[in-house]
Amino acid sequence: MPSLENNKLYINNSLKREKELFVPLHSPNVGLYVCGPTVYSDVHLGNCRSFITFDMVYRYLSHLGYKVRYVRNITDAGHLENDADEGEDKISKKARLNDLEPMEIVQTYTLGFHDVMAKFNAIPPSIEPTATGHIVEQINMIEKIMEEGFAYEINGSVYFDVEKYNANHNYGVLSGRKIEELISGTRALDGQSEKRSPLDFAIWKKASPSHIMRWKSPWSNGFPGWHLECSVMSTKYLGEQFDIHGGGMDLKFPHHECEIAQNTAANGKEAVQYWMHGNMLTLNGAKMSKATGNTLLPEELFTGNTDKLTKGFAPSVVRFFMMQAHYGSQLDFSNDALIAAEKGFNRLMEAYEKLKSLNAGDGSSDFSIKDWEGRCYKAMNDDFNTPILISHLFEAAKFINSCADQNSRLKEEDLASFKLILKAFIFDVLGLEEINKSEGGNKLDEVVKMLIGMRAQARADKNWALSDQIRDQLSNLGILLKDGKDGTDYSIDS
RNA sequence: GGUUCCGUGGCCGAGCGGCUAGGCAGUGGUCUGCAAAACCAUCUACAGCGGUUCGAAUCCGCUCGGAACCUCCA
């Protein structure tokens, strides 16, 4: 493993639109902020891809030896449903419709989110702050932005003055949008707006009488604008300047653009060094979206209980499927692709299992572990190129199989480091998990081994009828026997 | 309409000027009592048309097709 000083990690910085050498502000400490979910309904698989992507990023940075403070928020207020003026807070609305406390909604879906993340083997962030837990800080930031002259109050609401900000700063640095085009492209200039410009966005909204979620502020009883919470919480926990900010591609504009404006307006400098954007998971060629019903819930995926799938898939298989594509590329979800991924995943895991019981050969090795390790790091250092890493893992699998068939060999010390490196990349970095062979506990394993023993005897007696019967009946149960040179192994179809 | 991006073999997906990943599926072998697994070998590509270059899937232009964002979204 390369040392922190020697490792050269390149990150595709969305802000610069090019790969840049990653140099943390305060190495070995790294600050990572990722936009979390709005907890007003179940997370779908598209949401999960983003979080799994940044889980991988967090894992790799940690693996390299960085001390990462990983902050991912829970949006539990302030997320308006539509245009800022008429919009209702999503959580507030859901609570009103179901006659529940907003915090009941928040609790339900936060727990659901955590449950799904755990199934995907995502490591919880170091800090998971909520918007409602940081109202005071948000009010403070609004005051600061106002003091700097980049926001104005009208009727108890406070708006960020985009045009004023743009006079000395660049509103559009991230998204590549030009303010003039934004103005001309704005629809619904129906004169209802109290904002000075349609581009301005709310950082504090006065609550309408029906709005349940409200807090006292110098301007009104109201609630914070959605974009504000991320600026506030990232600043609070990671400082006015920090290393990496991640999120889905769809958040680039306006959310991230507004975050940049807020931070810069309040603190006079850009907060984020490297912006990373995960691309969309599509279904039938279009982005997953609750609004259109084009979604897949993790639960449907695990159980196969949906007409979009022919069977259920283990969370690790789905994770592996996602890792086979680069995080920056759009990925289309399909049953066929999942089945192919599952087979590949199983092959990789079986090779890893084989490696555990591999014997070292004497003399030299037929495979340069050191070179191979270098290639693995090179792939990950090139903007977290997990598909390339996986291709190297399959190369390793091929070699393991060859050793198991005694066509190749590996000397003692190489074998030891091979095991360590492969384990690190499969489990620590990619975050995959072995699908438990013996779901019914160890007893199933023992029973299968017993049957394998009986079959071996039958084969020795040339009792093919019996040996095939054992094999076929196990096969019908989804237990596949695999005859190798050193006896019989088995795998269980999920 | 504007902004960002993409079109790779039967399918999924890397590569982003020369060395033409990987997985799944296919084909031919080896092994095996047979089969599966495993191993070895192997066939299908770079949307179209121009241009730059000694050389392009990779750069430039145009055409066609698709996506995300410009309302909420991971």
Side-chain angles (χ1 to χ4, degrees):
Chain A
M1 182 174 150
S3 70
L4 216 50
E5 295 72 36
N6 293 331
N7 194 258
K8 299 241 177 293
L9 169 64
Y10 286 83
I11 295 180
N12 184 252
N13 191 348
S14 312
L15 192 62
K16 308 281 179 58
R17 295 190 183 85
E18 61 183 25
K19 283 181 198 168
E20 289 186 324
L21 180 64
F22 178 59
V23 184
L25 256 14
H26 311 287
S27 191
N29 297 301
V30 170
L32 170 66
Y33 187 92
V34 175
C35 289
T38 304
V39 283
Y40 73 104
S41 68
D42 291 312
V43 287
H44 62 248
L45 203 65
N47 301 310
C48 295
R49 161 125 106 139
S50 251
F51 303 128
I52 290 170
T53 289
F54 290 104
D55 181 60
M56 175 276 292
V57 168
Y58 173 56
R59 283 167 174 275
Y60 187 58
L61 291 171
S62 303
H63 171 79
L64 288 175
Y66 288 115
K67 282 192 61 186
V68 186
R69 181 178 290 167
Y70 172 25
V71 182
R72 188 183 63 208
N73 67 297
I74 292 283
T75 296
D76 60 351
H79 205 151
L80 294 180
E81 214 185 17
N82 46 49
D83 199 9
D85 283 6
E86 297 306 311
E88 189 173 4
D89 186 296
K90 283 185 170 179
I91 289 157
S92 208
K93 183 182 179 187
K94 183 105 179 184
R96 183 171 58 74
L97 293 177
N98 292 283
D99 199 20
L100 292 170
E101 275 294 322
M103 280 302 133
E104 284 183 278
I105 303 292
V106 166
Q107 177 74 349
T108 301
Y109 295 113
T110 301
L111 290 177
F113 170 61
H114 286 162
D115 184 46
V116 167
M117 284 299 106
K119 282 187 177 144
F120 278 121
N121 198 28
I123 300 171
S126 328
I127 304 175
E128 194 168 41
T130 61
T132 55
H134 297 76
I135 300 293
V136 173
E137 290 88 341
Q138 293 185 76
I139 290 173
N140 290 157
M141 191 164 200
I142 294 169
E143 284 171 335
K144 214 165 164 193
I145 294 171
M146 290 179 92
E147 277 165 28
E148 298 295 330
F150 293 112
Y152 57 90
E153 187 213 329
I154 288 182
N155 299 331
S157 292
V158 182
Y159 295 97
F160 191 93
D161 192 332
V162 171
E163 283 181 64
K164 182 156 186 203
Y165 171 80
N166 194 243
N168 297 309
H169 303 90
N170 184 2
Y171 184 80
V173 253
L174 182 67
S175 58
R177 276 157 227 254
K178 299 270 168 287
I179 193 163
E180 308 78 42
E181 284 159 2
L182 283 168
I183 293 167
S184 64
T186 314
R187 3 169 160 148
L189 289 165
D190 49 14
Q192 285 185 343
S193 178
E194 59 190 16
K195 294 186 288 188
R196 287 183 194 164
S197 157
L199 288 186
D200 296 349
F201 55 92
I203 51 182
W204 186 266
K205 280 292 288 180
K206 180 181 179 177
S208 64
S210 64
H211 199 105
I212 322 168
M213 301 177 86
R214 51 173 69 215
W215 292 267
K216 255 188 196 164
S217 80
W219 313 285
S220 64
N221 275 298
F223 55 97
W226 169 43
H227 309 307
L228 193 61
E229 58 169 290
C230 288
S231 287
V232 164
M233 297 190 284
S234 62
T235 304
K236 172 158 180 173
Y237 297 110
L238 299 173
E240 288 186 2
Q241 290 191 297
F242 61 95
D243 301 299
I244 304 173
H245 189 131
M249 205 74 109
D250 49 354
L251 297 182
K252 221 176 190 179
F253 189 89
H255 186 240
H256 292 330
E257 197 70 64
C258 293
E259 258 190 81
I260 292 175
Q262 289 163 342
N263 282 300
T264 311
N267 302 321
K269 53 193 168 193
E270 279 196 21
V272 178
Q273 311 302 301
Y274 302 86
W275 279 93
M276 288 180 71
H277 290 276
N279 215 141
M280 299 293 102
L281 180 68
T282 60
L283 185 60
N284 301 320
K287 178 183 164 185
M288 283 199 195
S289 150
K290 268 172 272 198
T292 60
N294 192 225
T295 53
L296 196 66
L297 260 29
E299 205 49 41
E300 297 175 320
L301 182 63
F302 303 152
T303 59
N305 189 15
T306 162
D307 56 8
K308 295 177 180 94
L309 299 172
T310 54
K311 66 189 280 299
F313 294 93
S316 257
V317 168
V318 181
R319 192 170 168 126
F320 179 76
F321 163 72
M322 290 180 181
M323 291 296 149
Q324 272 194 303
H326 188 88
Y327 75 85
S329 301
Q330 216 170 273
L331 174 63
D332 194 55
F333 185 91
S334 71
N335 191 251
D336 288 351
L338 256 278
I339 285 173
E342 183 176 52
K343 286 185 181 159
F345 173 81
N346 286 147
R347 201 157 84 77
L348 186 63
M349 286 310 191
E350 278 160 27
Y352 176 73
E353 278 299 309
K354 261 189 221 173
L355 177 64
K356 283 185 190 165
S357 52
L358 219 56
N359 294 315
D362 13 275
S364 61
S365 299
D366 298 327
F367 187 71
S368 169
I369 300 299
K370 194 136 193 70
D371 290 354
W372 171 77
E373 179 189 27
R375 271 176 275 145
C376 289
Y377 280 104
K378 191 178 166 214
M380 286 305 286
N381 284 335
D382 184 17
D383 193 29
F384 307 93
N385 199 327
T386 53
I388 296 288
L389 170 67
I390 288 172
S391 78
H392 296 327
L393 297 184
F394 276 109
E395 194 187 335
K398 207 168 189 177
F399 178 69
I400 292 165
N401 287 328
S402 169
C403 286
D405 285 354
Q406 279 150 29
N407 291 324
S408 305
R409 63 219 160 96
L410 211 50
K411 61 183 176 189
E412 190 73 49
E413 54 184 286
D414 279 354
L415 183 63
S417 69
F418 194 24
K419 283 180 188 170
L420 281 176
I421 300 163
L422 194 62
K423 185 166 185 268
F425 278 110
I426 294 178
F427 302 102
D428 301 346
V429 174
L430 293 178
L432 302 174
E433 285 180 302
E434 280 178 275
I435 294 170
N436 209 340
K437 243 186 187 179
S438 44
E439 296 231 327
N442 288 327
K443 282 188 179 155
L444 178 62
D445 182 57
E446 284 171 30
V447 170
V448 174
K449 281 188 176 145
M450 192 166 80
L451 288 166
I452 287 173
M454 288 166 71
R455 176 165 166 272
Q457 186 58 51
R459 292 176 75 199
D461 299 340
K462 296 199 187 300
N463 184 352
W464 309 129
L466 179 59
S467 77
D468 287 357
Q469 190 189 353
I470 293 171
R471 183 179 66 198
D472 295 345
Q473 293 196 355
L474 281 174
S475 167
N476 287 341
L477 294 169
I479 298 169
L480 303 175
L481 298 189
K482 296 172 183 181
D483 297 325
K485 280 189 173 150
D486 315 314
T488 302
D489 196 11
Y490 73 96
S491 69
I492 300 178
D493 235 11
S494 55

